[in-house]
Amino acid sequence: MMPTADPTTFMRRAIELSRLHMEAGAGGPFGAVVVKDGRILAEGWNRVTSGHDPTAHAEVVAIREACVRLGTFELKGCEIFTSCEPCPMCLAAIYWARLDRIWYANGQADAAAIQFDDAWLYREVALPLADRSLPLVQLLRDEALTVFQAWEAKVDKVRY
């Protein structure tokens, strides 16, 4: 694809990916592209049901592909265009990948209207650990801390 400064070009591609792969049965109606220097670097679409992977959301798939293509674990200097406002998992992945900007088309309410309601998850993660519906049980912290201490002392670690 030729470089372009028009964000609508990239959003239209994300929307096109959402439609094409939804109609093909790959998963839900979600598409995403990662853009660097006015070019699409990576594309992703929802592969949850076809890939038997609950983490294979369009944004995560596109981020993984972009990182492989660049040979890095961070995407500074890149933007993501997604056909829908990211869910909490995708939003966290975007933050971890250090993308510069998120562009989105459909919003949370639009997704909820077709039974993709992420609002409950946004509410859940804001609760104190003891109040969440999924129990979190801490076990063997002292043993696990020894690994953290070794990491902190490691001289050749790559921070992220």
Side-chain angles (χ1 to χ4, degrees):
M1 171 176 268
M2 294 299 296
T4 178
D6 183 5
T8 61
T9 300
F10 305 125
M11 186 58 75
R12 284 193 176 106
R13 180 61 180 160
I15 294 167
E16 179 182 34
L17 290 168
S18 73
R19 178 181 302 283
L20 288 172
H21 295 285
M22 178 269 301
E23 288 175 349
F30 305 99
V33 297
V34 173
V35 173
K36 182 173 179 65
D37 300 328
R39 295 177 189 263
I40 293 176
L41 174 65
E43 298 182 337
W45 51 88
N46 186 283
R47 301 177 189 183
V48 170
T49 55
S50 62
H52 310 289
D53 180 354
T55 68
H57 290 198
E59 299 91 337
V60 172
V61 171
I63 287 168
R64 288 174 180 164
E65 181 182 326
C67 287
V68 168
R69 286 195 175 176
L70 292 177
T72 184
F73 55 83
E74 62 181 24
L75 297 173
K76 290 179 182 173
C78 298
E79 297 179 334
I80 192 163
F81 291 75
T82 178
S83 65
C84 187
E85 183 177 354
C87 75
M89 176 186 70
C90 293
L91 185 60
I94 291 165
Y95 272 95
W96 279 116
R98 312 289 197 273
L99 286 146
D100 291 356
R101 179 175 292 143
I102 302 167
W103 300 79
Y104 68 94
N106 292 316
Q108 285 184 41
D110 302 316
I114 61 166
Q115 309 305 308
F116 289 97
D117 188 5
D118 298 328
W120 72 270
L121 187 50
Y122 276 106
R123 287 190 304 273
E124 184 80 7
V125 297
L127 294 173
L129 296 181
D131 295 338
R132 294 183 185 171
S133 62
L134 182 63
L136 280 85
V137 181
Q138 192 170 29
L139 184 64
L140 298 177
R141 178 177 179 262
D142 291 339
E143 289 182 34
L145 274 175
T146 64
V147 180
F148 275 17
Q149 292 160 351
W151 168 258
E152 190 56 28
K154 189 173 172 39
V155 295
D156 63 342
K157 65 180 165 264
V158 176
R159 291 202 182 270
Y160 57 95

